[in-house]
């Protein structure tokens, strides 16, 4: 039902910033837990950040804590990932994901709990 499209990826120098967007169509955007994942070459897909239905609760991977900010604009059906102080370790394909989870949210969701995924956007950080 819901379709997700990432944008905003590209090439940036170390220390720079990028802002990724995830545009959702179909479904009811505000009913989804939203998250960002990334996958670097030769590595497993990993969790980056998650935001609750109205943006009140967020979780971040330790590797991006204090550098990345996840937020959502339900009126615009869009989720964002503001990435600052980028390093080559952040180079990966970044994926937007949506979860239909409706229970209590006192933990971050596991990858398998996200039912809907975008196609990904490449982020490359040069040294």
């Amino acid at each position: 039902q819901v379709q997700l499209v990432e944008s905003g990826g590209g090439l940036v120098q170390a220390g720079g910033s990028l802002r990724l967007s995830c545009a959702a169509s179909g479904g009811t955007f505000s009913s989804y837990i939203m998250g960002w994942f990334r996958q670097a070459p030769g590595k497993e897909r990993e969790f980056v950040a998650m935001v609750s239905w109205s943006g009140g609760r967020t979780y971040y991977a330790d590797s991006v804590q204090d550098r990345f900010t996840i937020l959502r604009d339900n009126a615009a059906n869009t989720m964002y990932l503001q990435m600052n102080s980028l390093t080559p370790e952040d180079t990966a394909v970044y994926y937007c994901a949506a979860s239909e989870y409706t229970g209590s949210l006192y933990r971050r969701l596991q990858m398998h709990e996200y039912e809907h995924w975008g196609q990904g956007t490449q982020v490359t950080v040069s040294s």
Side-chain angles (χ1 to χ4, degrees):
Q1 46 275 41
V2 65
Q3 298 179 63
L4 306 173
V5 180
E6 302 94 337
S7 63
L11 176 64
V12 64
Q13 296 183 51
S17 298
L18 280 176
R19 185 179 179 88
L20 304 184
S21 298
C22 173
S25 59
T28 302
F29 183 69
S30 60
S31 71
Y32 298 107
I33 300 293
M34 300 298 298
W36 287 98
F37 292 78
R38 67 186 183 185
Q39 187 166 22
K43 296 185 177 180
E44 298 287 334
R45 189 180 301 176
E46 67 175 354
F47 169 78
V48 175
M50 188 194 84
V51 61
S52 61
W53 301 274
S54 60
R57 176 167 293 198
T58 59
Y59 292 92
Y60 295 93
D62 290 344
S63 59
V64 307
Q65 183 75 44
D66 300 323
R67 298 189 299 119
F68 291 11
T69 302
I70 187 172
L71 51 85
R72 64 192 297 164
D73 184 345
N74 287 347
N77 294 333
T78 305
M79 176 182 65
Y80 304 94
L81 183 68
Q82 179 65 47
M83 306 185 294
N84 298 326
S85 301
L86 287 163
T87 78
E89 299 296 311
D90 298 313
T91 295
V93 176
Y94 283 71
Y95 296 92
C96 170
S99 173
E100 298 176 2
Y101 180 82
T102 58
S104 298
L105 193 63
Y106 302 115
R107 60 176 177 87
R108 76 171 179 88
L109 300 183
Q110 302 299 303
M111 186 168 63
H112 69 85
E113 296 179 278
Y114 292 85
E115 297 91 351
H116 312 283
W117 295 81
Q119 295 299 304
T121 185
Q122 176 71 47
V123 171
T124 302
V125 184
S126 62
S127 59

